[in-house]
Amino acid sequence: MTKYLILSDIHGSLPALHKALDVFRREQCDELCILGDILNYGPRNGIPDGIDAMGIASELNALADKILAIRGNCDSEVDQMLLDFPIMQDYMLLVDEGKRLFLTHGHIYNEGKLPKGHFDALFYGHTHLCGLTENNGMAVCNTGSVTFPKGGNPPTLSIYEAGVIRLLSLDGALIKEMRI
């Protein structure tokens, strides 16, 4: 059984990444799924606390064999040059114990623009607004942002294991849980 930590929108903040990796280790996750916007803070955001693209690259490259990642709207070919794992795909289909999980950043596919096909769950970030809902029999998890949460939410991420999605604050507190 594989346990996945799924997060989005690090936006260059090394302290936020450290907190997320603390959750990864404490929860004994097997894989780290990053839904984009890894190194660049983006022109519409402020400069994050502890901005350190090279530090983030170093931390994540040490875990490269455990990372599945996709491209966010702030990620580029230059970012890929710093990372030892692929980030340039816009989405990924992950099949775990027969459950079909669609992972994307959210600027192309999201709850308002669903991908074609059958999926048990859609995971995305981009809006920095966390949420865990159901849409036509599919679980929809917006992991929020570990660095720039919006809507009065705390920094958030999610964990998927054995058909259960848990949306957590960055300090590990459970916000919502759903079985698919």
Side-chain angles (χ1 to χ4, degrees), residues 123-140:
F123 289 87
Y124 72 100
H126 181 60
T127 65
H128 301 204
L129 294 166
C130 69
L132 181 56
T133 60
E134 185 268 333
N135 185 329
N136 293 324
M138 177 175 59
V140 177

Side-chain angles (χ1 to χ4, degrees), residues 34-36 69-72 75 87 89-92 103-105:
I34 305 173
L35 305 183
I70 54 158
R71 180 183 71 84
D75 297 320
I87 67 165
Q89 60 189 346
D90 290 325
Y91 59 87
M92 175 185 308
L103 308 178
T104 192
H105 179 64

Side-chain angles (χ1 to χ4, degrees), residues 14 53 68 73 85 125 142 153:
L14 189 58
L68 303 170
N73 61 307
F85 51 91
N142 185 325
N153 293 307

Side-chain angles (χ1 to χ4, degrees), residues 7-11 34-38 69-72 75 105:
L7 61 85
S8 188
D9 298 278
I10 300 166
H11 285 294
I34 305 173
L35 305 183
D37 288 0
I38 300 169
I70 54 158
R71 180 183 71 84
D75 297 320
H105 179 64

Side-chain angles (χ1 to χ4, degrees), residues 132-134 138-140 163-166 176-180:
L132 181 56
T133 60
E134 185 268 333
M138 177 175 59
V140 177
V164 176
I165 301 168
R166 291 187 292 145
K176 189 169 183 181
E177 182 174 287
M178 180 183 291
R179 177 171 293 283
I180 59 173

Side-chain angles (χ1 to χ4, degrees), residues 111-157:
E111 187 163 16
K113 187 170 185 241
L114 298 173
K116 293 183 179 190
H118 168 75
F119 306 100
D120 296 293
L122 167 67
F123 289 87
Y124 72 100
H126 181 60
T127 65
H128 301 204
L129 294 166
C130 69
L132 181 56
T133 60
E134 185 268 333
N135 185 329
N136 293 324
M138 177 175 59
V140 177
C141 182
N142 185 325
T143 62
S145 172
V146 296
T147 301
F148 293 125
K150 292 184 180 174
N153 293 307
T156 52
L157 44 70

